[in-house]
């Protein structure tokens, strides 16, 4: 066998291994069912260090939330996928409803257990969907805001049908924040009064690029390009399609941006980029010392004050 064929076979083997590696990475990023990876690899990912006390507090809050009169609803998306949400109705309504969208690999109850008690006590009706590919909803893949932003209108329509007199506010955390920001360009329904986005990325592409460079010291090419191609073929979207940044340039509703000042999973600088690009009425708070998706846990007083001021400003019903 001459040198040319040896080089050719070696190159083909390297390319094959590269595509296998990218398939593994894509599985970790998008698929509901992920292959197990060694802990030392997950420990390398920027932002994975979370406060130990949070888990215990959240488990306690989940149990308390499930003891309340919460109702599980299942609806079908236009493509037939089963979507599930929990609805919590307060004893006395304050005239406002919150559609709360969770982050990647989370679920409605788990994401909003802590803050749900504040909402319930203060008269908010709360709808907490499980996005497809997560929780009790169907689906194999997460969309990082692409299909979640479309599915969420199913719950907006449910809210309008069952709670027609309530003002609707969209609240999202992490991927959920990207979801509600991607809804901002199409949210022309008069029932929707405003959007609260907690720790959104500018785009899935930029978020994954940040993690590749920060955690693994790797360039975008070719890994991110191959993974995005897989996503286009398998899940029907590319990572650049999941772009809250492009959406807020044409936003139709007021937006409150929230981000943790110590967030190094979705870096805090993305908040300012989104805020500056947003074309509608907007406000922004950064919660000191809060890591990713822990702003409410870190400083509930500042968080509650910010969202109350925002909703009081844009709701037709002022407390």
């Amino acid at each position: 066998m001459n040198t040319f064929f040896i080089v050719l076979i070696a190159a083909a083997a390297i390319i094959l291994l590269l595509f296998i590696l990218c398939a593994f990475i894509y599985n970790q990023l998008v698929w509901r069912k992920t292959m197990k990876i060694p802990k030392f690899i997950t420990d390398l990912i920027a932002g994975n260090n979370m406060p130990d006390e949070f888990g215990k507090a959240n488990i306690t809050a989940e149990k308390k939330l499930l003891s309340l009169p919460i109702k599980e609803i299942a609806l079908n998306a236009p493509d037939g996928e089963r979507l599930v949400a929990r609805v919590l109705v307060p004893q006395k309504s304050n005239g406002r409803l919150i559609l709360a969208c969770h982050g990647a690999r989370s679920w409605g109850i788990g994401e909003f257990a802590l803050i749900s008690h504040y909402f319930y006590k203060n008269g908010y009706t709360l709808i907490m969907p499980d996005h497809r590919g997560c929780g009790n909803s169907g689906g194999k893949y997460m969309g990082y805001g692409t299909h979640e932003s479309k599915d969420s209108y199913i719950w907006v329509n449910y809210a309008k049908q069952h709670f027609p007199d309530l003002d609707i506010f969209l609240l999202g955390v992490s991927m959920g924040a990207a979801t509600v920001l991607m809804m901002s360009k199409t949210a022309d329904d008069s029932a929707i009064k405003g959007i609260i986005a907690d720790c959104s990325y500018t785009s899935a592409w930029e978020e994954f690029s940040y993690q590749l460079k920060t955690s693994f010291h790797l360039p975008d090419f070719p890994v991110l390009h191959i993974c995005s191609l897989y996503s286009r073929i398998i899940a029907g979207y590319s990572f650049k399609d999941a772009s809250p940044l492009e959406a807020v340039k044409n936003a139709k509703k007021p937006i409150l941006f929230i981000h943790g000042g110590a967030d190094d999973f979705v870096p805090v600088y993305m908040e300012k980029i989104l805020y500056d690009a947003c074309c509608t009425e907007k406000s922004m708070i950064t919660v000191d010392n809060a890591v990713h998706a822990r702003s409410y846990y870190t400083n509930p007083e500042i968080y509650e004050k910010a969202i109350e001021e925002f909703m009081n400003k844009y709701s037709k019903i002022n407390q």
Side-chain angles (χ1 to χ4, degrees):
M1 186 179 292
N2 61 35
T3 304
F4 173 77
F5 284 107
I6 293 173
V7 171
L8 187 63
I9 291 171
I14 291 171
I15 293 171
L16 178 61
L17 288 173
L18 176 62
F19 273 81
I20 291 173
L21 173 64
C22 289
F24 177 77
I25 294 171
Y26 178 70
N27 167 264
Q28 298 296 311
L29 290 174
V30 176
W31 285 35
R32 178 197 286 266
K33 294 183 178 180
T34 57
M35 294 176 278
K36 291 185 178 181
I37 58 176
K39 186 177 183 297
F40 79 87
I41 295 179
T42 61
D43 288 344
L44 291 173
I45 299 173
N48 262 2
N49 294 323
M50 296 291 182
D52 294 336
E53 301 82 2
F54 173 81
K56 297 177 183 178
N58 208 57
I59 289 172
T60 300
E62 284 183 27
K63 292 178 179 178
K64 184 178 177 182
L65 175 56
L66 290 170
S67 72
L68 296 175
I70 194 165
K71 184 178 181 181
E72 184 171 298
I73 304 294
L75 299 174
N76 289 327
D79 63 357
E81 200 67 77
R82 182 176 184 267
L83 303 176
V84 171
R86 284 89 181 173
V87 181
L88 182 62
V89 179
Q91 293 178 338
K92 183 179 179 181
S93 175
N94 67 3
R96 298 172 186 171
L97 179 148
I98 294 175
L99 177 62
C101 297
H102 65 76
R105 305 207 178 282
S106 186
W107 62 309
I109 294 288
E111 192 75 74
F112 298 102
L114 284 171
I115 197 171
S116 64
H117 302 291
Y118 171 80
F119 288 141
Y120 183 70
K121 179 180 67 176
N122 287 279
Y124 291 91
T125 298
L126 189 60
I127 299 179
M128 297 171 285
D130 289 352
H131 297 304
R132 65 171 72 195
C134 299
N136 287 347
S137 287
K140 297 179 180 179
Y141 316 107
M142 295 179 297
Y144 286 91
T146 52
H147 54 242
E148 293 87 355
S149 59
K150 297 172 184 175
D151 289 343
S152 292
Y153 279 110
I154 295 171
W155 299 111
V156 170
N157 291 333
Y158 175 89
K160 289 169 59 181
Q161 180 181 355
H162 291 84
F163 307 99
D165 297 325
L166 302 187
D167 288 344
I168 299 172
F169 286 87
L170 309 178
L171 166 65
V173 175
S174 193
M175 183 184 78
T179 295
V180 297
L181 289 182
M182 290 183 69
M183 295 172 72
S184 69
K185 65 181 179 181
T186 53
D188 49 10
D189 194 303
S190 61
I192 300 174
K193 303 302 180 182
I195 295 171
I196 303 166
D198 180 347
C199 63
S200 175
Y201 40 80
T202 50
S203 72
W205 181 281
E206 291 299 327
E207 168 60 13
F208 300 151
S209 173
Y210 163 82
Q211 286 291 350
L212 273 177
K213 293 171 185 175
T214 304
S215 303
F216 302 103
H217 310 291
L218 294 173
D220 294 349
F221 184 83
V223 173
L224 203 51
H225 294 77
I226 296 172
C227 289
S228 188
L229 175 63
Y230 282 148
S231 190
R232 171 68 73 187
I233 295 169
I234 296 171
Y237 71 95
S238 76
F239 294 158
K240 290 185 178 180
D241 292 336
S243 179
L245 181 61
E246 291 304 310
V248 298
K249 293 176 182 179
N250 297 289
K252 293 179 169 61
K253 300 294 178 180
I255 300 176
L256 167 61
F257 296 92
I258 302 174
H259 218 105
D263 192 342
D264 60 350
F265 185 81
V266 174
V268 64
Y269 66 76
M270 289 188 177
E271 179 188 34
K272 186 65 164 56
I273 294 173
L274 288 165
Y275 179 84
D276 288 344
C278 182
C279 70
T280 187
E281 293 185 58
K282 57 192 176 182
S283 52
M284 179 177 73
I285 66 163
T286 304
V287 180
D288 291 342
N289 303 315
V291 298
H292 183 64
R294 302 292 182 260
S295 289
Y296 183 76
Y297 170 76
T298 302
N299 198 326
E301 293 81 9
I302 286 179
Y303 202 104
E304 291 165 6
K305 183 175 184 289
I307 63 175
E308 287 295 340
E309 288 178 351
F310 179 77
M311 288 188 282
N312 284 339
K313 183 175 182 180
Y314 297 108
S315 177
K316 70 174 185 288
I317 300 168
N318 292 310
Q319 295 178 310

